[in-house]
Amino acid sequence: MVYSFHMALFFFLSGYTFSRKERYDRFLKKKIQTLLVPYLFFVIVTMLCNGVLAITHGNSYDVLDIAKQYLIQNRYTLLWFITCLFLAEQAMYVLSILNSKYVKNRFWLISFAIALIVFYLYRIIIDIDLPWNADLTILGTAFMCLGQWCKNSKCFTTYFAKPKMLLCLGVVVCLIASALNYKYFTKVDWYSDCWGNPILFVIAAISGIIAVISISMLKNNKILVAVGKNSLMYYGLHRIVIDLMFVVYGKLGIEIINTSWSAVGFAMIDVLVSICVITPFNLFILKYMPWCLGRKKVKVKNDKYYNTNI
């Protein structure tokens, strides 16, 4: 169920927070610092960890070939999302310029619909995976347009007055739509180019987004807020921790069957361990090398430092 909306949610939130307040050269520089620099950082950390695992297990590790794969970035590891988001941000900049000529919020809703249609036509007619996942950028831009529309329409304050009711509605609709899509068509997985029925896909994605936003409106959980602010770090490195956990499971003789309920329990353990491992590493990077995550260190009167986005 989570796969039916989680990537759409990321792009939706990116669109909701999108803003064009500067010239394009400054905008481009900012996106390079906040997306491509972290991408390079995650690539280096991932290659180092995977290289160590390969050597300790007696496997070969072609550094140049793997670096080439990261440079081309065509559905290569979970880091595909970052280059895709970078391109989607550029598309949003162009669309925001067009929107400034019309100054009508429905422009974003129309752009959302057009982008969806263009993406599905592309997959049906051309169906070629492009470098930097440029083809997925079309779909990502669609949900960013939806996020921008919600922002300008003030949907959160207008329609989320009763978040509990919307939460229940969103969960039920998302569950039904994703279950039907999985049973009669296929699972949803952007990485594997799987979306199933386009109507069920969109319904599940939007209802899932509504459910998650409703949860955030219910209570201000400090832990969730902290994780959300540093979500890029958790996203970029959690796979490394999970791979290490599978090595540990193997050493302990634990066999995980994906179709069993025990797999859910192990997945929850993986999430908790990932948070526990990545959190101190994240704090270290934010204190000593914040530029790796597109942030800068700012000195205040008491000689303490805090980090802000560049």
Side-chain angles (χ1 to χ4, degrees), residues 71-85:
L71 179 62
I72 297 174
Q73 188 43 263
N74 193 337
R75 312 293 201 279
Y76 192 68
T77 75
L78 54 81
L79 296 180
W80 69 267
F81 167 76
I82 300 179
T83 57
C84 184
L85 177 60

Side-chain angles (χ1 to χ4, degrees), residues 114-127:
I114 293 176
L116 285 179
I117 295 172
V118 170
F119 175 75
Y120 278 103
L121 289 176
Y122 178 87
R123 298 312 307 185
I124 293 172
I125 300 173
I126 302 177
D127 197 23

Side-chain angles (χ1 to χ4, degrees), residues 135-151:
D135 52 305
L136 289 180
T137 296
I138 305 172
L139 184 59
T141 302
F143 285 101
M144 287 186 72
C145 289
L146 183 63
Q148 186 70 193
W149 175 78
C150 287
K151 176 183 178 180

Side-chain angles (χ1 to χ4, degrees), residues 51-82:
V52 171
L53 280 176
I55 294 173
T56 55
H57 286 73
N59 299 322
S60 61
Y61 194 75
D62 192 334
V63 176
L64 293 179
D65 181 66
I66 293 174
K68 178 183 177 181
Q69 296 298 326
Y70 277 115
L71 179 62
I72 297 174
Q73 188 43 263
N74 193 337
R75 312 293 201 279
Y76 192 68
T77 75
L78 54 81
L79 296 180
W80 69 267
F81 167 76
I82 300 179

Side-chain angles (χ1 to χ4, degrees), residues 22 25 27 44 46 75 165 196 205 219 232 254 259-260 303:
E22 53 212 344
D25 57 338
F27 175 84
I44 294 173
T46 301
R75 312 293 201 279
M165 183 179 69
K219 188 177 181 180
L232 190 61
I254 299 174
T259 57
S260 65
D303 292 331

Side-chain angles (χ1 to χ4, degrees), residues 9-240:
L9 174 66
F10 287 144
F11 282 105
F12 174 88
L13 294 176
S14 297
Y16 187 86
T17 57
F18 176 84
S19 177
R20 180 180 64 89
K21 296 181 179 179
E22 53 212 344
R23 297 198 317 260
Y24 180 70
D25 57 338
R26 295 180 180 178
F27 175 84
L28 179 61
K29 180 181 178 181
K30 180 179 179 181
K31 294 307 172 183
I32 291 175
Q33 292 173 327
T34 56
L35 289 175
L36 296 190
V37 172
Y39 175 75
L40 179 60
F41 170 70
F42 293 142
V43 167
I44 294 173
V45 173
T46 301
M47 290 184 66
L48 285 174
C49 293
N50 290 342
V52 171
L53 280 176
I55 294 173
T56 55
H57 286 73
N59 299 322
S60 61
Y61 194 75
D62 192 334
V63 176
L64 293 179
D65 181 66
I66 293 174
K68 178 183 177 181
Q69 296 298 326
Y70 277 115
L71 179 62
I72 297 174
Q73 188 43 263
N74 193 337
R75 312 293 201 279
Y76 192 68
T77 75
L78 54 81
L79 296 180
W80 69 267
F81 167 76
I82 300 179
T83 57
C84 184
L85 177 60
F86 174 80
L87 295 180
E89 291 278 358
Q90 313 312 306
M92 286 294 292
Y93 191 94
V94 175
L95 289 174
S96 65
I97 294 176
L98 295 176
N99 180 56
S100 63
K101 297 180 179 180
Y102 299 99
V103 197
K104 292 182 179 180
N105 193 34
R106 66 181 180 218
F107 171 87
W108 293 112
L109 200 57
I110 295 173
S111 298
F112 165 68
I114 293 176
L116 285 179
I117 295 172
V118 170
F119 175 75
Y120 278 103
L121 289 176
Y122 178 87
R123 298 312 307 185
I124 293 172
I125 300 173
I126 302 177
D127 197 23
I128 297 176
D129 297 341
L130 299 176
W132 278 38
N133 310 290
D135 52 305
L136 289 180
T137 296
I138 305 172
L139 184 59
T141 302
F143 285 101
M144 287 186 72
C145 289
L146 183 63
Q148 186 70 193
W149 175 78
C150 287
K151 176 183 178 180
N152 296 335
S153 300
K154 299 180 179 179
C155 290
F156 289 178
T157 56
T158 304
Y159 302 109
F160 283 80
K162 298 180 179 180
K164 291 183 179 180
M165 183 179 69
L166 283 176
L167 172 60
C168 295
L169 181 63
V171 170
V172 170
V173 174
C174 183
L175 184 61
I176 294 174
S178 57
L180 290 174
N181 204 10
Y182 180 79
K183 182 177 181 179
Y184 295 104
F185 297 94
T186 185
K187 66 176 182 179
V188 173
D189 187 358
W190 289 37
Y191 180 85
S192 303
D193 295 327
C194 297
W195 295 275
N197 181 275
I199 297 177
L200 290 175
F201 164 73
V202 173
I203 292 175
I206 294 177
S207 57
I209 291 172
I210 292 173
V212 173
I213 294 175
S214 299
I215 294 175
S216 67
M217 300 289 285
L218 289 174
K219 188 177 181 180
N220 187 10
N221 189 302
K222 293 183 179 180
I223 296 178
L224 291 178
V225 171
V227 172
K229 288 182 178 179
N230 299 281
S231 59
L232 190 61
M233 174 67 88
Y234 291 102
Y235 175 84
L237 299 181
H238 78 277
R239 188 67 225 182
I240 298 175

